[in-house]
């Protein structure tokens, strides 16, 4: 199993551009999450999903959108990039029967200038 | 509201010394608690978790943590630190479907 994969690893965006961060998992997990990590701030939840077709906002959803059309994929969309969205983004997943243990991807480092 | 506090932003220990990383939580009921480790440039890896039962929990890489309800704490310990333990450590408490993370403690290990 590859586990949780994220692409790209690094990206530089100009203000106002849009992009999609990709996340996929091959463990058949129902629950998936997007976090952002800022220095000294820990991880903040952006969006999460409890299954295909079901998504909900986390702590810091503004400026982001998600979709979950399949169990495997959970892309995160930035529509109008802003410098405040410069961060490291982590995707995670957890299985239905162990919802409280999460498996993390390697992260995407995004810089908005 | 649930919250997690890690009071130490940085900790430096010598290789072979013992380690304790502090974590305090705020939660209305019996919490589910976790410790994760993040090596440089990597994602987070679960070290250990507490759901119920024995308050001393053993994890991977020789780590353990003790749940103390009276102190609202879940401190992480290791008897003898190795240079490869240099990383950032996050404590987390379970919320509905998701975690509440602390701000992390960065561990530096001196040779």
């Amino acid at each position: 199993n590859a586990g949780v994969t994220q692409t790209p690893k690094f990206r530089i965006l100009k203000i106002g551009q849009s992009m999609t961060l990709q996340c996929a998992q091959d463990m058949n997990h129902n629950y998936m999450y997007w976090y952002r990590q800022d220095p000294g701030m820990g991880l903040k939840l952006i969006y999460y999903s409890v299954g295909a077709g079901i998504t909900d906002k986390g702590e810091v959803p503004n400026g982001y959108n998600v979709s979950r059309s399949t169990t495997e994929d959970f892309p995160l969309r930035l529509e109008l990039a802003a410098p405040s969205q410069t961060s490291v983004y982590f995707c995670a997943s957890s299985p239905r029967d162990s919802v409280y243990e999460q498996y993390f991807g390697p992260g995407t480092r995004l810089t908005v200038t | 509201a649930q919250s997690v506090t890690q009071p130490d932003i940085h900790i430096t220990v010598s290789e072979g010394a013992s380690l304790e990383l502090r974590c305090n939580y705020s939660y209305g009921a019996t919490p589910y608690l976790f410790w994760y480790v993040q090596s440089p440039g990597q994602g987070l890896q679960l070290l250990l978790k507490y759901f119920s039962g024995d308050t001393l929990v053993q994890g991977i890489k020789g780590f353990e943590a003790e749940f103390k309800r009276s102190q609202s704490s879940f401190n992480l310990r290791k008897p003898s630190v190795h240079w490869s333990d240099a990383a950032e450590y996050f404590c987390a408490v379970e919320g509905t479907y998701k975690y509440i993370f602390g701000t992390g403690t960065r561990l530096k290990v001196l040779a």
Side-chain angles (χ1 to χ4, degrees), chain A residues 31 33 35 37 40-43 45 48 50 57-59 90 98-107, chain B residues 32 34 36 38 41-46 49 51 88 90 94-104:
Chain A
Y31 298 82
Y33 314 82
Y35 294 90
Q37 183 181 31
M41 299 295 291
L43 280 79
L45 183 68
Y48 66 100
V50 301
K57 296 177 181 179
E59 191 177 357
F90 288 99
S98 181
V99 66
Y100 303 112
E101 178 172 348
Q102 296 186 11
Y103 298 79
F104 284 79
Chain B
Y32 293 174
F34 308 82
Y36 277 82
Q38 183 182 28
Q42 303 295 315
L44 279 70
Q45 180 185 21
L46 181 68
K49 58 188 176 185
F51 282 3
E88 190 154 19
F90 291 94
E94 164 261 350
T96 305
Y97 300 124
K98 52 192 182 289
Y99 290 158
I100 309 298
F101 281 93
T103 51

Side-chain angles (χ1 to χ4, degrees), chain A residues 29-68:
Chain A
H29 288 175
N30 279 312
Y31 298 82
M32 295 188 75
Y33 314 82
W34 273 107
Y35 294 90
R36 60 177 287 171
Q37 183 181 31
D38 301 309
M41 299 295 291
L43 280 79
K44 302 291 186 184
L45 183 68
I46 305 171
Y47 272 94
Y48 66 100
S49 169
V50 301
I54 307 169
T55 62
D56 206 349
K57 296 177 181 179
E59 191 177 357
V60 290
N62 291 345
Y64 307 94
N65 280 298
V66 294
S67 59
R68 183 96 182 271

Side-chain angles (χ1 to χ4, degrees), chain A residues 83-98:
Chain A
S84 61
Q85 293 178 305
T86 294
S87 189
V88 180
Y89 292 84
F90 288 99
C91 180
S93 72
S94 60
R96 175 185 288 275
D97 61 348
S98 181

